[in-house]
Amino acid sequence: MDGASIRLTGIAVSGGIAFGHTFLYHPELPEIRCDRFETPPEPHIAAYEHSLHAAAEQLSGICRSLQARGRDAAQIFAAQLEILQDEEMDICVRGAIAEERLTAAAAVEQVYEQFAQLLAQTADPLIAARAADIRDIKLRLQRVLLGLESADLSLLPPGTVLVARDLFPSDTALLDPSCIAAIVTELGNQTSHTAILAKGLGIPAVLAVRGAMEAIPPHTVCAVDALSGEVFCRPEEALCVHLRSKQASFQEDALRQQKYRYRQAVTTDGVPIEIGVNIGGQNDDLASCDYCGLFRTEFLFLDRQILPDEQTQFAEYCRVVEQADGKLVTLRTLDIGGDKSVPCLPLPKEDNPFLGCRALRLTLNRRELFRSQLRAALRASAYGPMQILYPMVGSLTDFRRAKALTREVMRELDTEGVPYRRDIPLGIMIEIPSIALLADMAADEVDFASIGTNDLCQYLCAADRLNPAVAEYYETFSPAVLRCLREICRAFDRAGKPVSICGEMAGDTRAVKLLVGLGYRRLSMSSGQHAAVKAAICGFSLEEARVLAEKALACRTQEEVLRLLDEDRSCGSALLV
Ligand code: PEP
Ligand code: MG
């Protein structure tokens, strides 16, 4: 091994320890200048031909890998392979090299960009969407021409430690999780989408590691301790021995917790807590949950170049309802914008995207998009228990607008004689303080609510959930958050309406006893967290949980709350393993 060992720290968001080889994900390219040459063109033509060949090999590899995993996105890359062989573009690139004396990278830039712009202007959305494919192929050819490594996340070898500045849902949609040993990113925190993905898949992850892309060398042996939040490149032997023993005891604990995975979560004095699952991918596991507390429908939009139509959405929602096998499915309408962008719906850039036109605000603005999703959801409701959840509701006006549109769609289905569940419950995410403060009034109007603590905490603390510079201000255990949670729970209990928590806090074993003590009887999280959360619940009584919650509510700072929780855990009552 070359070079000294390197230690970096960040936030541990998904547990475990892993060893592997680093892959640095650099999706962006340096600017391609309009360089010309004066020497004979043959070597430039040869470079272009080599890039065509290499790109074709990469695309075939991606197609094979996605097909093997039954992923629809394989079609996108199969179509790109055809575009790569387009004769007209090929003639133009060769001409730009031979006659205009442009370097191969510059010629590809000029020709592919011209074709992309032409397509983007056409009225047919299907043809216009091909512009994105042309630009994608252009980047692929240029990476080869510039001697840069391919940036395909679908082709990583097993045992990869994936290092990135950030990962977007559209990147991770192509990942083969079985090849990823660990994830390290410069941005993100407990509630970012990379964290949610890692927890769902049980991949150790350390996020918010400052300077990771500069400090970590590519293709280097690396150990990721996602218990302490440390990343070690070229770890020394003594450290590896220590980490292996820590890894072994973590795995033993995890194994002991596994026996709770398929059991009902019941406190020692017999109070059942319903455990929901948060889903948002193709390989979600619904076997260990009592209900699905959050179906993030965004995933359907991630690896597509054009918007999925009503029928595609309907088929996917039916698949989930069928998989749930009689358990209630909480379908959340499209929640994009903010940190979640999707290629098939380009959105204008906003200065403060988290305070901007995201989620319900966006779908209320794009009624046709919202209508097609509501039609698909309502049609799927005929096939199993379902409720509809609107994200980012800031006022009862928002809720009433969404409800009115849903009723309009219902009348439309009635006229067409299409079946759906007429009494389908309509609920809201409580994640904006303005609606949290009106919880009593909201409880009067809505059928149910689910609390998005990830966003609620961001807005209560005025700290961007993705910005590592303000991570210390993002206080999940702030007494203000706890007080807010208690009031929401009381309001819904008084109204006799169901309320649950589906933010990351619900799956945090430190928080579970506190949440039960605050009154929550429904918690929803990634299936990867079910065993540990159920084990924790089976280790305390409701009375103990209430006492803990009272003490926490009397704390004045997050530090005091965390100290209280630590003391409680070290008394041994919080975790039964
Ligand atoms: C939340 O905000 O807590 C939540 C569950 O939604 P998302 O993380 O998708 O914004
Ligand atoms: Mg949210």
Side-chain angles (χ1 to χ4, degrees):
M1 281 186 298
D2 296 332
S5 60
I6 299 166
R7 173 181 173 273
L8 298 166
T9 58
I11 304 174
V13 299
S14 179
I17 292 173
F19 295 82
H21 281 83
T22 55
F23 172 84
L24 268 60
Y25 180 52
H26 270 296
E28 56 293 321
L29 269 186
E31 197 193 334
I32 305 288
R33 294 202 322 250
C34 184
D35 288 336
R36 290 174 201 271
F37 57 87
E38 286 171 10
T39 49
E42 285 72 23
H44 298 276
I45 298 276
Y48 165 62
E49 286 172 350
H50 165 70
S51 72
L52 278 181
H53 184 68
E57 291 228 313
Q58 290 173 4
L59 287 170
S60 314
I62 297 172
C63 282
R64 277 196 303 276
S65 148
L66 292 174
Q67 269 160 0
R69 286 183 276 139
R71 304 294 305 273
D72 294 344
Q75 291 162 11
I76 297 176
F77 295 96
Q80 288 196 1
L81 199 52
E82 278 178 29
I83 298 175
L84 184 68
Q85 285 147 5
D86 183 272
E87 213 173 306
E88 210 181 326
M89 285 207 291
D90 184 56
I91 292 170
C92 290
V93 175
R94 288 173 192 274
I97 298 174
E99 285 147 36
E100 296 180 47
R101 302 276 156 153
L102 284 174
T103 60
V108 166
E109 177 68 33
Q110 177 177 296
V111 172
Y112 275 63
E113 203 41 49
Q114 276 166 0
F115 275 81
Q117 280 174 17
L118 267 180
L119 289 186
Q121 284 159 10
T122 53
D124 182 341
L126 272 172
I127 297 180
R130 296 278 77 81
D133 285 312
I134 292 193
R135 293 198 169 104
D136 215 24
I137 304 168
K138 177 189 82 174
L139 293 178
R140 185 174 296 285
L141 291 169
Q142 290 172 332
R143 290 190 85 83
V144 179
L145 288 164
L146 297 177
L148 296 172
E149 193 169 23
S150 131
D152 290 314
L153 293 182
S154 53
L155 287 180
L156 299 176
T160 296
V161 173
L162 176 58
V163 184
R165 182 167 152 71
D166 197 8
L167 289 173
F168 294 101
S170 47
D171 298 322
T172 53
L174 298 178
L175 270 184
D176 178 356
S178 66
C179 294
I180 308 297
I183 296 175
V184 176
T185 63
E186 290 187 349
L187 299 183
N189 69 4
Q190 283 290 354
T191 68
S192 60
H193 289 274
T194 309
I196 294 168
L197 170 100
K199 284 184 221 177
L201 298 169
I203 297 175
V206 180
L207 310 189
V209 180
R210 277 193 200 188
M213 292 294 278
E214 285 229 336
I216 299 179
H219 310 295
T220 306
V221 173
C222 180
V224 177
D225 182 345
L227 301 174
S228 65
E230 289 169 293
V231 178
F232 305 95
C233 286
R234 308 189 193 98
E236 277 156 17
E237 192 45 36
L239 178 64
C240 288
V241 171
H242 164 72
L243 290 175
R244 286 215 178 83
S245 107
K246 200 169 162 188
Q247 184 183 36
S249 75
F250 172 80
Q251 283 167 350
E252 262 171 43
D253 280 351
L255 208 66
R256 274 198 292 267
Q257 288 166 351
Q258 279 310 315
K259 58 179 199 249
Y260 291 89
R261 188 175 169 83
Y262 296 102
R263 291 191 193 166
Q264 167 81 57
V266 188
T267 61
T268 53
D269 48 352
V271 180
I273 308 297
E274 280 185 66
I275 300 296
V277 68
N278 294 353
I279 61 171
Q282 306 228 337
N283 305 315
D284 295 306
D285 177 12
L286 282 94
S288 54
C289 69
D290 300 312
Y291 70 110
C292 163
L294 177 62
F295 172 18
R296 287 186 163 98
T297 55
E298 301 80 78
F299 93 93
L300 241 179
F301 292 70
L302 294 182
D303 54 10
R304 286 197 159 76
Q305 307 289 65
I306 51 166
L307 287 169
D309 59 14
E310 180 187 324
Q311 194 56 26
T312 310
Q313 296 184 65
F314 168 66
E316 203 52 45
Y317 303 159
C318 284
R319 184 185 65 79
V320 171
V321 166
E322 195 176 310
Q323 208 184 339
D325 197 18
K327 294 174 183 170
L328 176 64
V329 173
T330 309
L331 181 145
R332 182 174 74 179
T333 61
L334 196 55
D335 183 355
I336 56 170
D339 65 323
K340 296 180 232 173
S341 57
V342 293
C344 60
L345 192 61
L347 299 172
K349 208 168 159 40
E350 295 176 299
D351 284 341
N352 292 300
F354 276 125
L355 302 180
C357 192
R358 55 175 290 212
L360 184 63
R361 296 171 180 183
L362 186 118
T363 47
L364 282 172
N365 261 343
R366 306 210 177 198
R367 297 224 150 197
E368 280 321 302
L369 176 67
F370 202 10
R371 287 183 97 89
S372 82
Q373 178 166 44
L374 289 170
R375 280 182 64 94
L378 287 168
R379 286 171 56 200
S381 75
Y383 296 87
M386 182 191 279
Q387 52 187 11
I388 293 179
L389 179 63
Y390 306 116
M392 286 288 290
V393 171
S395 66
L396 284 171
T397 309
D398 281 350
F399 172 68
R400 288 176 195 167
R401 282 194 189 133
K403 184 172 169 174
L405 190 67
T406 311
R407 295 265 176 259
E408 222 178 281
V409 170
M410 286 176 168
R411 284 194 291 277
E412 207 173 88
L413 294 175
D414 281 338
T415 331
E416 295 166 22
V418 176
Y420 63 91
R421 182 176 168 193
R422 279 167 193 284
D423 59 350
I424 187 165
L426 304 178
I428 56 169
M429 289 281 291
I430 298 189
E431 48 189 348
I432 299 185
S434 54
I435 199 74
L437 284 167
L438 298 181
D440 54 338
M441 295 175 181
D444 200 39
E445 285 199 28
V446 307
D447 296 321
F448 72 98
S450 189
I451 305 175
T453 45
N454 306 343
D455 278 315
L456 183 62
C457 181
Q458 141 168 280
Y459 296 126
L460 273 178
C461 300
D464 181 337
R465 64 193 258 193
L466 293 183
N467 182 352
V470 292
E472 65 175 302
Y473 296 101
Y474 183 98
E475 297 188 334
T476 314
F477 290 92
S478 154
V481 173
L482 304 187
R483 214 182 256 195
C484 192
L485 291 179
R486 180 189 57 182
E487 292 312 313
I488 299 169
C489 193
R490 280 185 174 168
F492 276 77
D493 281 353
R494 272 197 296 266
K497 303 260 177 85
V499 60
S500 67
I501 300 183
C502 65
E504 293 310 294
M505 195 178 187
D508 183 339
T509 46
R510 288 175 307 170
V512 169
K513 185 170 175 184
L514 187 55
L515 298 178
V516 171
L518 288 171
Y520 289 91
R521 301 289 175 267
R522 288 184 189 85
L523 302 171
S524 191
M525 66 215 70
S526 304
S527 60
Q529 292 157 303
H530 282 173
V533 166
K534 288 183 179 181
I537 292 171
C538 293
F540 58 76
S541 70
L542 181 60
E543 194 43 37
E544 286 163 350
R546 280 191 177 136
V547 170
L548 181 70
E550 276 316 309
K551 285 188 188 161
L553 284 164
C555 291
R556 294 183 175 207
T557 63
Q558 166 167 268
E559 291 74 54
E560 287 173 29
V561 175
L562 288 174
R563 209 173 311 126
L564 175 76
L565 297 184
D566 275 349
E567 280 164 15
D568 184 67
R569 280 160 71 87
S570 61
C571 290
S573 61
L575 195 66
L576 185 80
V577 285

